[in-house]
Amino acid sequence: SISIIETSAFRNCQSLTNVNVPTSISVIGDSAFANCNLLQSFQFVTSLSSLGQACFRGCSSLVNVNLPSTITVIPADAFYGCSSITSLHLPSTILQIGDRAFAYCSNLDNIYFDRSVQTIGDSVFMGCNAVQAITCLTATPPACTASTFGTIPVNIPVTVMNSCLANYQNTIGWNRFTNYIG
């Protein structure tokens, strides 16, 4: 019958490796699992509708982030410093990604945005130097800032639809990339 994992509920639980999440969970509060350094996996149940700020910040052993289609917003600092995440494929329901949401995910090598993303916050990918490719399927480039993509190399392949190529090349944040593929 538990529906909410409260703010800071498991924060700094240094020995926590796995969580058996009840299917009734709809909300994960701010910093709920922050700094659980050994947390390797987390089952994001389909009843989940809201993530709190910094909910998994500093979970450096967390490998996969498989968010359910019930999530529309990834809040600020949600996965900041989750250095074991290697790939990011967000569900088609994500509309907004908050500031620094994936900053310092230093092993992240592939980013995939579906058609729904509208806004990507400031410094979302700061310190993600291992990124080797970005795919974005939205016709209109998601709004972002000059620092959204942080230190991602500018010459990596960025795949977008042919008809949108010029829009991406002329939009703040996206215009830093030099290797567009239509």
Side-chain angles (χ1 to χ4, degrees), residues 133-134 136 156-162 165 169 178-182:
I134 296 173
C136 192
I156 64 163
V158 177
T159 303
V160 299
M161 293 183 290
N162 277 334
L165 193 57
Q169 292 171 325
T178 60
N179 185 13
Y180 274 94
I181 300 171

Side-chain angles (χ1 to χ4, degrees), residues 10-14 31-36 54-59:
F10 297 96
R11 184 180 188 154
N12 298 324
C13 288
Q14 300 295 318
S31 302
F33 294 94
N35 301 320
C36 293
C55 53
F56 291 94
R57 182 184 175 119
C59 292

Side-chain angles (χ1 to χ4, degrees), residues 25-64:
I25 293 295
S26 61
V27 176
I28 296 176
D30 294 350
S31 302
F33 294 94
N35 301 320
C36 293
N37 298 343
L38 298 179
L39 182 62
Q40 296 173 353
S41 64
F42 187 90
Q43 180 64 40
F44 292 93
V45 294
T46 57
S47 59
L48 186 63
S49 62
S50 178
L51 297 174
Q53 289 190 6
C55 53
F56 291 94
R57 182 184 175 119
C59 292
S60 57
S61 297
L62 188 63
V63 177
N64 292 318

Side-chain angles (χ1 to χ4, degrees), residues 24-166:
S24 57
I25 293 295
S26 61
V27 176
I28 296 176
D30 294 350
S31 302
F33 294 94
N35 301 320
C36 293
N37 298 343
L38 298 179
L39 182 62
Q40 296 173 353
S41 64
F42 187 90
Q43 180 64 40
F44 292 93
V45 294
T46 57
S47 59
L48 186 63
S49 62
S50 178
L51 297 174
Q53 289 190 6
C55 53
F56 291 94
R57 182 184 175 119
C59 292
S60 57
S61 297
L62 188 63
V63 177
N64 292 318
V65 176
N66 295 315
L67 297 174
S69 60
T70 50
I71 297 290
T72 59
V73 174
I74 299 173
D77 301 312
F79 298 96
Y80 183 105
C82 293
S83 56
S84 294
I85 295 172
T86 57
S87 183
L88 186 59
H89 185 247
L90 301 175
S92 61
T93 54
I94 298 296
L95 302 173
Q96 179 182 350
I97 302 171
D99 297 344
R100 302 168 307 279
F102 295 99
Y104 299 99
C105 290
S106 55
N107 285 306
L108 183 62
D109 65 5
N110 193 339
I111 302 169
Y112 179 92
F113 298 111
D114 213 313
R115 290 178 168 87
S116 60
V117 177
Q118 298 171 357
T119 306
I120 306 171
D122 193 44
S123 302
V124 170
F125 297 104
M126 181 63 66
C128 297
N129 302 338
V131 173
Q132 296 176 18
I134 296 173
T135 300
C136 192
L137 300 181
T138 61
T140 302
C144 60
T145 69
S147 65
T148 292
F149 295 102
T151 53
I152 292 176
V154 298
N155 62 342
I156 64 163
V158 177
T159 303
V160 299
M161 293 183 290
N162 277 334
S163 60
C164 309
L165 193 57

